[in-house]
Amino acid sequence: MRALRILLVIVVILGGIFVIVDRVAVSFAEGEVADRLKSTENLATTPDVSINGFPFLTQVAGGTLDEVQIGIEGYEAATGDGAKSIRIADLRADMTGVGFSSDFSSATAAAATGSATVAYDELLKAATSDSTQVAPGVTAAVVGLSDGGNGKIKVTVEATVLGTKLPEPVSVLSSVTVVDGDTVRVRADGLPKFGGVALAEKQVRAITDFEQKINGLPGGIKLDKVEAAESGVHITVKGSDVRLAG
């Protein structure tokens, strides 16, 4: 019995040591992944990286990590328009089935899901902000975007009719959708009138409707769904064979 108790104590001690070593190893690995992402994605700040699943060391031995979660604040995404970019306030991604090379220089996730938020003032840059003639004697420009409720965007337009600015801006509720996995499209549900002047649909939509391309997300992640929220548009992202590094 005494020998059994000693054996149990040794097992507990060794188990405790293994847990400590495992947690130290995962903490080190999280830091390495974060630093590599910061470098490869040219980030201004170090991202948050969490490697889930226990034990970590057996996952490493098997060559695949169960789950890696990444959080990036203030990501500057490409827009496909030269030097222009759009700021994503909060990009979160949950990577599963993350395999890595034998020298740990590269890693690829089998699948990824996540979310991102684009503030309305960032999305507003894609709208017609300069006064544009939409009909003889009528000019208009989008001056604001906000939450319209029920997943809609409220698009606010200022107009000038025959040289006189309308006393109140015109607003229209718009639907927001994802097109081709890399573009946010805003399209008015109805056609507003400017000072009681009814314009052709094409002329009105030249002001109220617009698109914003968002590409170059980390690892080739694509846009999936989008919905208007209180502080901006909430975007769901997804991807497969997503490269974390290398």
Side-chain angles (χ1 to χ4, degrees):
M1 289 294 295
R2 184 170 181 271
L4 180 59
R5 285 197 296 269
I6 293 174
L7 179 60
L8 289 175
V9 169
I10 293 174
V11 169
V12 170
I13 292 173
L14 291 178
I17 293 174
F18 175 78
V19 170
I20 292 172
V21 172
D22 190 81
R23 294 301 89 191
V24 170
V26 75
S27 179
F28 175 79
E30 289 171 347
E32 288 294 304
V33 173
D35 289 342
R36 187 176 292 273
L37 277 174
K38 181 181 180 181
S39 176
T40 57
E41 297 294 337
N42 297 315
L43 304 178
T45 60
T46 303
D48 295 326
V49 175
S50 296
I51 299 176
N52 300 327
F54 179 84
F56 167 69
L57 292 175
T58 57
Q59 294 182 64
V60 173
T64 303
L65 302 179
D66 295 339
E67 180 183 47
V68 178
Q69 294 178 323
I70 296 173
I72 302 175
E73 296 288 346
Y75 184 80
E76 297 290 335
T79 63
D81 189 15
K84 290 184 180 180
S85 64
I86 185 167
R87 183 178 177 82
I88 297 178
D90 187 15
L91 176 61
R92 303 286 165 180
D94 187 351
M95 315 283 190
T96 57
V98 181
F100 47 86
S101 61
S102 57
D103 61 357
F104 303 103
S105 62
S106 64
T108 302
T113 58
S115 62
T117 300
V118 177
Y120 285 120
D121 59 348
E122 283 292 310
L123 190 59
L124 182 61
K125 296 176 183 178
T128 305
S129 56
D130 296 327
S131 292
T132 301
Q133 181 170 314
V134 294
V138 181
T139 60
V142 176
V143 295
L145 302 176
S146 58
D147 182 16
N150 297 318
K152 303 289 186 177
I153 291 180
K154 179 181 176 183
V155 179
T156 302
V157 181
E158 282 188 349
T160 298
V161 179
L162 299 177
T164 301
K165 179 181 288 187
L166 298 183
E168 295 292 337
V170 176
S171 296
V172 61
L173 290 179
S174 299
S175 297
V176 55
T177 56
V178 170
V179 180
D180 297 330
D182 65 358
T183 302
V184 174
R185 173 179 291 171
V186 178
R187 180 178 172 83
D189 293 348
L191 300 179
K193 293 182 178 181
F194 302 106
V197 178
L199 304 176
E201 180 175 355
K202 182 178 180 180
Q203 294 171 317
V204 176
R205 292 196 179 280
I207 300 297
T208 60
D209 299 359
F210 60 93
E211 295 183 350
Q212 175 63 70
K213 185 179 287 291
I214 302 176
N215 54 20
L217 294 177
I221 293 174
K222 298 292 185 180
L223 308 183
D224 184 27
K225 299 177 182 177
V226 62
E227 185 178 44
E230 183 176 353
S231 59
V233 291
H234 180 80
I235 301 171
T236 300
V237 299
K238 68 177 182 179
S240 58
D241 296 326
V242 177
R243 295 185 67 82
L244 295 178

